[in-house]
Amino acid sequence: MLGTTGKTRLAKWYMQFDDDEKQKLIEEVHAVVTVRDAKHTNFVEFRNFKIIYRRYAGLYFCICVDVTDNNLAYLEGIHNFVEVLNEYFHNVCELDLVFNFYKVYTVVDEMFLAGEIRETSQTKVLKQLLMLQSLE
Amino acid sequence: MSPSVPLQEMIRAIRSARTQCEERGVIQRECAAIRAQFRQADNGGRSHNLAKLLYVHMLGYPAHFGQMECVRMIASPRYSEKRVGYLGAMMLLDEKQDASLLITNSIKNDLSNSNQYIQSLALCTLACMGSAEMCRDLAPEIDRLLRASNSYIKKKAALCAVHIVRKVHDLGELFTKAARSLLTEKNHGVVHGAVVLITELCERNSETLERFRKTVPDLVQIMKGLVISGYSPDHDVAGISDPFLQVRILRLLRILGRNNEAASDAMNDLLAQVATNTDSTKTVGNAVLYETVLTVLDIKSESGLRVLAVNILGRFLLNNDRNIRYIAMTSLQKIVGTDHNAVQRHRGTIVDCLKDQDASVKRRALELSLALVSASNIRSMMKELLSFLSSCPPELRSQTASGIFNAAERYAPSQRWHIDTILHVLTTAGGDVRDETVPNLIQLITNTSELHCYTVHKLYRALLSDISQQPLVQVACWCIGEYGDLLLTGECQETEPVQVTEDYVLDVLETVLQSHMSSPSTRGFALTATMKLSTRITENVDRIRSIVSIYGSCIDVELQQRAVEYNALFKKYDHMRAAVLERMPVIEKNSQGHTNGETIKESQTVKVKPGEPQQPANQVQANAAFYTVFSIVATVTVYEKDGVTVTLSCEKQSDSGLTVTLTASNSTESDIRGFTLQAAVPKSVQLHMKAPSGDSLPARGTAKLVFTFADMSEVYETKVSPVTS
């Protein structure tokens, strides 16, 4: 998740990278994604992967996948994730995500695992999240 | 975990920093405080501190001093601390850090914990950053969890297994049985995980693939259930039940059905059903349709189904959403080789996409258009491609140019069209064409002798307007050098002739020579062209002579050498000049990509037509006559004196060899004995001389002495020096 100013709001890595490589990758992705506007497709070729991204208000949600994966399915995955965030935080805004970043990581872990989509039912995910919250 | 007050304060403090420097200051202070507290082993606020550290890390600052703290917190019994510890492990630790090994034991314990949430935390972390050793250690645990636990854990365990298989391929064997049984679960999440796991296993190992073929009927059943059955509120997205699961199952079916008749048959009905019933107004529907199309095209499906798939792709092309057009073109690219006609139907739409504003759409459209060019549509396609070339983004230029050249070469309806097209490309995108374009074009021009006049007029006009595009200038100079006399006659059938004098032509060439935009090789072309004109024009030979002598002291070594040689040609060998600078003969296209007697790109060696009378020499011995031999089949008389006639005939035996046969015949009264042949070639050529058929020429005989030698061709010169007694 990237803000328009380039600040990372959340970064989840499923492959092995050094810290400086991670930083560089984030900058590259930011450079590629922020210059595109509504006239462009939501898919960008990046190194030997694809980036599938969607912009919601001031945040870019980017997923980096292999070239063989189905673009549209992951686009829907992003939307699913955003809808869950919306439900969980009750009309979420960027500040919510900043101040509760560890909770956002929990949501990510519930929905995506090992680089794949894990749970697709929004009601189920929300139920789990509420349970987890009660444990804290 | 309720947002801790210190954490919130810190975040606020960081955000309120107005400059980068202030922010760094705040963060340094906080990090120092955190480090102090870590050392104190303060019990209460540990999770808060680690959370603060993680925030700082997310912003991009170094946080490796928190690694040991993570390890300690994972081992703590409290859930909140474990939670932050595992999060820290996922963010800060990775395979390369040694500390990651320390948490293996903790993970192992947590995997058998009674609290399912703790188990899930451990699974998450393992799936996210598990190294190969950790995976090997913990694989049996995962297998156990796959079989006997609740569905919440099974989901996560399945994906964890996927990660393990990706890291350590051999462990895939361990999970096959469990994966098979998971398919029968009711819970969508579990089935999803199982399908992903099976996909991963099948992609790695073809034996497993064979084994899982038997599951095709089960998968078909599940899909049918998803597609037909009614509304299921849990997994519904815009009217389609669990599209993610559908997409994954389709993908697995694709892998299972590839190259296998039986499996593909079983899927045919299902695929047809999905393709027709899925609602395509929303992106989700299109996602499922897209996956279906990919599957149909990949397995051995029946032709009706393939037509259906291509039609769906055609519908995608007309969709308003750019994303969908993009992926349609990507898929069409894959099948344009096999189902060419089906794709041809959509050519109009594809060509329209060339004008789209998105660069990736343009690139796809370009590749597809180039693949769709054929003899019937060449003219219209070329018009579109040329207009695209003038407006396309710079990174696509060279690809477009070379694509246009290839297409033009294969399908050109007429020579004149071909030349026109190439000239058009050179004027619009001259800087981006590849290097071998220039010799190819020169060869093409030489070969179409009826269009010489037309070509040279066009090139002259192009040169007048713009001398910055190097390939164009090079070709133009060459043409003017060769066919300048046609320019000066002032008449031309094909196009409007120019009324120029020799001075104008020489002016143009001199401008090219002196311009700072010309590259050294272009200058070389221009100088040679000027030299050649000395035999084509009548009045201004002195001017040429002066130009050439000026360049005799040029700094560029290549130009200097040429100028000096040409000067010598003027002074000492003036009688040879006309012959040396004669028109080039028709060049045969050599498959090795070079033309005879011409090195690629630059200098043009002086070519001499065979049959030319040699220098008068009183001695029979050692006639130094230089001949450049062409690899066209030709019989050439190279020596005719004192009744001895020597002819050379060349045959191209193979791509790399040339056989030259030298036949000598004697028409004098006396025998000639001791007839030998010496041949010398430059180092780039190999010469094999076979034994001659004899060494004496009988009187009045046409008995032949045959010397055969095979060469590796390129430029070569042979010194033919018959030694006779």
Side-chain angles (χ1 to χ4, degrees), chain B residues 410-590:
Chain B
R410 283 210 298 241
Y411 302 114
S414 74
Q415 298 277 35
R416 178 172 157 172
W417 183 92
H418 195 173
I419 291 183
D420 273 341
T421 315
I422 299 189
L423 287 179
H424 193 132
V425 174
L426 284 181
T427 36
T428 28
D432 298 301
V433 298
R434 278 205 302 253
D435 295 329
E436 59 248 23
T437 322
V438 173
N440 283 345
L441 180 55
I442 289 180
Q443 186 183 339
L444 180 64
I445 294 178
T446 333
N447 288 349
T448 45
S449 42
E450 61 274 10
L451 288 176
H452 283 165
C453 192
Y454 169 73
T455 319
V456 74
H457 274 92
K458 274 203 95 153
L459 284 170
Y460 178 73
R461 287 210 182 87
L463 204 56
L464 280 180
S465 50
D466 172 28
I467 57 170
S468 61
Q469 309 269 37
Q470 297 304 309
L472 184 62
V473 174
Q474 286 173 1
V475 176
C477 287
W478 190 89
C479 271
I480 294 180
E482 278 289 305
Y483 310 119
D485 45 337
L486 291 174
L487 199 57
L488 294 167
T489 56
E491 45 177 61
C492 177
Q493 289 165 335
E494 320 264 328
T495 178
E496 188 72 32
V498 286
Q499 305 298 331
V500 289
T501 65
E502 302 171 355
D503 267 321
Y504 283 157
V505 178
L506 286 174
D507 278 340
V508 168
L509 285 176
E510 234 183 318
T511 328
V512 173
L513 264 176
Q514 291 165 352
S515 160
H516 58 271
M517 288 193 279
S518 307
S519 71
S521 49
T522 314
R523 287 228 183 93
F525 269 89
L527 191 60
T528 312
T530 319
M531 190 59 201
K532 284 193 207 168
L533 278 180
S534 71
T535 49
R536 318 270 199 263
I537 64 179
T538 44
E539 293 165 0
N540 292 24
V541 186
D542 290 326
R543 184 170 166 192
I544 296 184
R545 212 185 286 227
S546 61
I547 295 178
V548 165
S549 55
I550 289 176
Y551 278 90
S553 45
C554 175
I555 288 185
D556 186 333
V557 178
E558 168 72 27
L559 277 181
Q560 191 188 68
Q561 180 178 356
R562 285 189 195 209
V564 166
E565 286 174 358
Y566 294 154
N567 245 341
L569 208 53
F570 267 122
K571 300 208 175 93
K572 287 204 281 184
Y573 297 101
D574 205 33
H575 47 277
M576 275 180 81
R577 194 160 46 92
V580 165
L581 298 173
E582 256 192 6
R583 282 265 170 87
M584 298 271 199
V586 173
I587 306 171
E588 177 183 291
K589 180 143 186 117
N590 194 323

Side-chain angles (χ1 to χ4, degrees), chain A residues 36-71:
Chain A
R36 292 165 73 88
D37 56 12
K39 294 198 298 268
H40 291 104
T41 59
N42 292 74
F43 321 123
V44 189
E45 280 138 35
F46 175 69
R47 298 199 183 179
N48 50 350
F49 303 108
K50 284 195 283 218
I51 301 182
I52 301 176
Y53 72 95
R54 209 161 187 176
R55 182 178 174 169
Y56 290 88
L59 276 180
Y60 289 92
F61 289 76
C62 313
I63 300 188
C64 188
V65 296
D66 291 329
V67 274
T68 48
D69 284 333
N70 187 334
N71 299 6

Side-chain angles (χ1 to χ4, degrees), chain B residues 300-372:
Chain B
K300 290 193 186 307
S301 50
E302 54 186 27
S303 56
L305 204 49
R306 282 185 96 90
V307 168
L308 183 60
V310 176
N311 285 346
I312 293 181
L313 283 179
R315 265 210 327 262
F316 277 0
L317 271 182
L318 299 167
N319 196 309
N320 285 330
D321 187 352
R322 194 171 281 111
N323 292 330
I324 297 185
R325 272 184 286 168
Y326 175 79
I327 58 174
M329 283 197 279
T330 318
S331 330
L332 283 174
Q333 181 79 28
K334 289 190 208 136
I335 61 169
V336 77
T338 46
D339 296 272
H340 193 95
N341 294 330
V343 185
Q344 280 280 9
R345 251 181 279 142
H346 304 288
R347 191 163 48 87
T349 333
I350 295 175
V351 166
D352 280 334
C353 286
L354 278 174
K355 305 190 190 97
D356 198 295
Q357 283 167 334
D358 184 323
S360 16
V361 173
K362 275 193 190 162
R363 183 176 306 164
R364 287 276 174 270
L366 174 67
E367 284 167 8
L368 258 180
S369 310
L370 287 174
L372 285 178

